[in-house]
Amino acid sequence: MLKLSWKYLISKPLSTGLNILLLALGLAIITVLILIQDQFENKMSKDAEGIDLVVGAKGSPLQLILSSIYHIDFPTGNIDMSDAMALSKNRLVKNIIPLGLGDNYQGYRIVGTNHDYLELYNAKMATGSAWEKPFDVVLGSEVANKLNLKLGDQFIGSHGIGSSSHEHDEHPYTITGIIVPMGNVLDKLILTSIESVWYTHDEDHDHEKFEASVAKTGFPETDEDREVTSLLIQYRNPIAAVQLPRFINSKSALQAASPSFEISRLFELLGVGVKLVKGLAIIIIVIAGLGIFIALYNSLKERKYDLAVMRTLGASSGQLFIHILLEGVILTLLGAIVGIAIGHLFLSILVMQNEQGALSGLTAAVFLKEEIWIILYAIIVGVIASLIPAWNAYQTDIAKQLTKA
Amino acid sequence: MMLEAKKIEFHYNPKQKFDLPDIQLSQGEQLLILGKSGSGKTTILNMLGGLLKPLNGEIKIGDTSLYSLKGASLDKFRGKNIGIIFQRPHILEPLTVLENLSIANFFSGTKGDKNENLLKELGIFEKRNEKVNTLSEGEAQRLSIARALANSPKVILADEPTASLDDENATNVVKLLKEQAEKYNAVLIIVTHDQRVKDHISNQITIGG
């Protein structure tokens, strides 16, 4: 039975192929959307886990979140150490992690911070250990892999976030550790102490200072006028969520942004686009369904005779019904499989071309439960599209059909 | 009696009733039904083949009253016991020659282990794996005969099997039908207006005046 339907399908390769392709395209779009959405949201929430509030210079709160947690946008500017220190003494703050941004090495961001940042993500070292002295750095696994760097290697950072303007050639960094693959933002970062970031930008070179060990937690001790880029804050209690942002935002120099709030706002903004594309995909699928319906319906006209002959050979009307229905279902099932394949292929190409962008770290080699739904939906489309033609086949009047010709 | 049609009546239009004869044939008997077009030849064949229910009367094949069967069981019975050959071959195009036979086996639920033999006897064995659109008219008609025989039917019905064939092919087809019917000891009924067939089967009735 399956074979029979299949034979009829491949006897018209053009219309069969076209219908499969159309359906596949629609489903591919949905597959890509689902994959990206799922992984993106997953990644986003994973990266922001444990961070209740981000404090930085005034500017766009979304930009602050993107630059300080996800390391994709540019920082809003720097804030004074004194302000930061004051904040850390606030009783509503449980933990505060300073970040110093602004440099990169071959596009990978160098982040000055303390060991609390590693703990925040439960980062384990694959080799080596965390930084102890200025200019010691720890690499994310992706950085180490892509740049082919090993323990003990030295490199020179460049000023700027993306493309570099000038190189800080006086102070090479030494790799003291490489983090195991985390599957989060750490993979793409080069971590070091706040002090490293400061000293790189200093004009004078106090070599004694370079030998002192750096602060492992909290803020580095310094009597100089220093700055940091932003602060990651954990609340001590729920009241902090209400009071702290208001308190910080009222101070002129600082801005506080909540990751969960900003990210949901971001998704809301993206949501419009996603909905639009989804709508487009659904329209394509409906058109594909109509295409299948029309193809089956037209072929039925030519095939009425064939169907009548099958009846004379002993086929019951129920068998003919199934025969036509199967054709629709085979078509859509193939469309679904091809569509999902195209979707995954498309995503993998997208990821390949965006290695350092926001899409990096996504993978096409993941299959979601939703994809089974895609196949199911496709089959439903197939059944609906072939129902009327199949019913016609069911009702074929053999004698009339055979005498007509 | 292998095939029996008693007092069957049919009309498409009450004013033009077909005048249909009773038919009684035992195993292996052959019958030629002659008549002009419009005389109800095809109608009678459709009724005998279980494709069209007569308005009155009864048709029996073996011990089964054909129209006491309903729906799928009638389809199955037809597939197993009645082989029908049409004026034009009506072969299923997407399938190969051999598949056209196995589909008949499939629908009627028989084994079809003599399909290859059948093709050999009808001289189209070499083409068994080819698409049917490569066949000539004569070959196609032979294939449709093979398909009608694929389930070793008790009754073979042929509706104008020679109408679209030239003299030589027409003679061959009639001969083939006779041979095969005799071989399977099946009832053979040929409905035709083709005078060329007349000489081959002596048992004849003419309907429609």
Side-chain angles (χ1 to χ4, degrees), chain A residues 145-214:
Chain A
N145 269 335
K146 289 271 157 64
L147 301 182
N148 222 347
L149 292 170
K150 297 181 304 294
L151 219 58
D153 283 357
Q154 293 199 326
F155 62 88
I156 289 163
S158 316
H159 194 71
I161 287 287
S163 51
S164 41
S165 49
H166 68 269
E167 309 221 313
H168 297 299
D169 41 9
E170 303 90 351
H171 307 290
Y173 290 104
T174 309
I175 299 164
T176 63
I178 293 168
I179 304 172
V180 293
M182 300 290 294
N184 61 24
V185 69
L186 282 195
D187 290 347
K188 293 186 294 178
L189 296 180
I190 300 170
L191 300 175
T192 183
S193 53
I194 294 268
E195 287 90 330
S196 312
V197 177
W198 286 344
Y199 301 159
T200 331
H201 297 91
D202 283 350
E203 291 301 321
D204 57 327
H205 302 293
D206 182 353
H207 284 275
E208 202 176 301
K209 195 162 70 177
F210 293 175
E211 294 305 315
S213 48
V214 298

Side-chain angles (χ1 to χ4, degrees), chain A residues 50-52 92-96 120 232-236:
Chain A
I51 302 169
D52 294 325
L92 293 170
V93 174
K94 182 174 152 207
N95 194 8
I96 192 160
L120 180 70
L232 308 180
I233 289 175
Q234 283 181 320
Y235 295 144
R236 183 170 299 283

Side-chain angles (χ1 to χ4, degrees), chain A residues 7-8 305 311 314-316, chain B residues 42 75-76 78 90 94 99 107:
Chain A
K7 289 267 177 181
Y8 268 93
Y305 227 110
R311 287 292 301 278
S316 65
Chain B
T42 301
D75 291 325
K76 282 277 163 298
R78 179 195 313 122
H90 296 305
E99 281 167 340
F107 280 130

